[in-house]
Amino acid sequence: MTASPVSVPTSDVDVFASDVLADPYDAYRSLRDAGPAVHLTSHPVWFLGRYADVRAALADWETFTSAQGVALTDDMNAPMLGGVLATDPPEHGVLRAVLSEKMAPRALAKLRGDIAERADALVADVVARGSFDAVTDLAQALPVDVVADLIGLPQEGRDKLLPGADATFASFGPLDERMMARMPVFMDYMGYMQSVSERSVLAPGSWGAAVWEAVDAGRIPAETAGPLLTAYLVAGMDTTVAAIASYVRFLAEDPELFALLKADPALIGGGFEEALRIESPVQGFFRNTTRDVDIDGVVVPAGSRVLLSNGSADRDERHYPDPDRFDVHRNPVDHLAFGYATHGCAGQGLARIEARALIESLLRRVDRIEPAGEPVRHEHPVVRGLERLPVTVVPTAGA
Amino acid sequence: MLVQADRDKCEGHGLCADVAPEVFELDDDAVVVLRHVQVPPELERKAEAGARVCPVAALRVAT
């Protein structure tokens, strides 16, 4: 029996075009409506944007392998091969275990108090100024310091972390003139990461030192230490910043939401999940198919590169009713902003602690937060975040 | 309905216990513990929801 020919959904939408990156959600909807898997003509890639399909693909590492890299281009996949992002089980599990035993929530419990104190000091400082940029003065200040201390990095050179992580994630997208403009920063960061991956540079007792202890204990090969440290040095910087800034933006633009959370701080956690859902910091990573795979009736051939769009999946009306609305009561804990399954974000517990600490402190210390100018979007092919978010705050009465 | 937990995969994110505390809890090492292996009918929806939100796919339900 011969299968009847099925027309392959195709689209000329370029999900990396500047105007689409500025506001990708209409494009995502059109791609979701075009089919469960859509062959893009703008780049050699298939787009998966429906929640159920993206989730299933993330869980099926045997069909959607990460071992050929999770970037769009072969050139940029090459340097990541063998690292924790670009391996499948069982290799992946061995590498991830070294990270997760430090970053799993059980290990983070003792950090909570320290992070809350740092967050509160930072918030006190910006609130005293009255007006500030919630991206550069608030959202960027906490994660970089916290993560750098945990990794055990020297003070010198920490200014490279944010732009370096930004450029590294950008390298997962098209190798075009915009990436070329980031290339000097990217190359410089490669050098920086190599230099701080030296055992002697990392503070004793740090997460970084623990990677070398895993080498000494024979748990992981020595050549994987550098790539593992790279994961620490890239994953938890601009992503966390984007998530926090996006949450602050919702609070600034919706006084009712702010008042609701201030009156009931128990909603802060669910609000963060909703902020993550509606503006997923990582909009998507790539996979490669190892066999012909039927996605809800559309066959994606073996050897295809596939963009798993977390950003689209988290706005899929097939899964989330009224998906473009921020609903603080939705508590969408099944969102895909952190990915899912094998490569689900190992640092998501830390991100939650950082974000909640900052927002809790902000809600305690101010009665109102208001926009003080138009937010400026940061153009980036993978990480959806803001460049600037000017705000004004009214300190809590009587505080 | 049966619930299965892969304790090697569990990283202790605790979302299952937030969503379905009647079915899932974390032990002192923050590893998931099942309060029911055989889930009573009235908790089936809860068990499914709790298993679903595991970020590392360490939980499964089978009917």
Side-chain angles (χ1 to χ4, degrees), chain A residues 322-335:
Chain A
D322 200 2
D324 299 332
R325 193 170 70 88
F326 186 104
D327 175 359
V328 72
H329 298 292
R330 193 191 303 262
N331 195 21
V333 278
D334 62 348
H335 67 70

Side-chain angles (χ1 to χ4, degrees), chain A residues 51 55 59 96 100 103-106 273 319 331 333-334 339-342 344-349 352 356, chain B residues 7 9-15 18-19 26 28-32 51-60:
Chain A
Y51 179 91
R55 183 179 161 99
R96 181 178 173 109
S100 69
M103 288 199 288
R106 74 185 66 114
E273 303 304 322
H319 185 70
N331 195 21
V333 278
D334 62 348
Y340 173 60
T342 312
C345 175
Q348 58 185 283
R352 289 190 172 101
R356 289 181 194 182
Chain B
R7 288 175 48 95
K9 275 192 192 169
C10 175
E11 293 178 353
H13 294 282
L15 302 185
D18 287 346
V19 168
L26 300 186
D28 291 344
D29 294 325
V31 179
V32 67
R52 202 183 145 66
V53 299
C54 175
V56 294
L59 300 170
R60 290 236 183 314

Side-chain angles (χ1 to χ4, degrees), chain A residues 247-259:
Chain A
Y247 198 4
V248 173
R249 181 183 182 179
F250 285 114
L251 293 169
E253 292 181 350
D254 185 347
E256 278 179 39
L257 172 67
F258 185 91

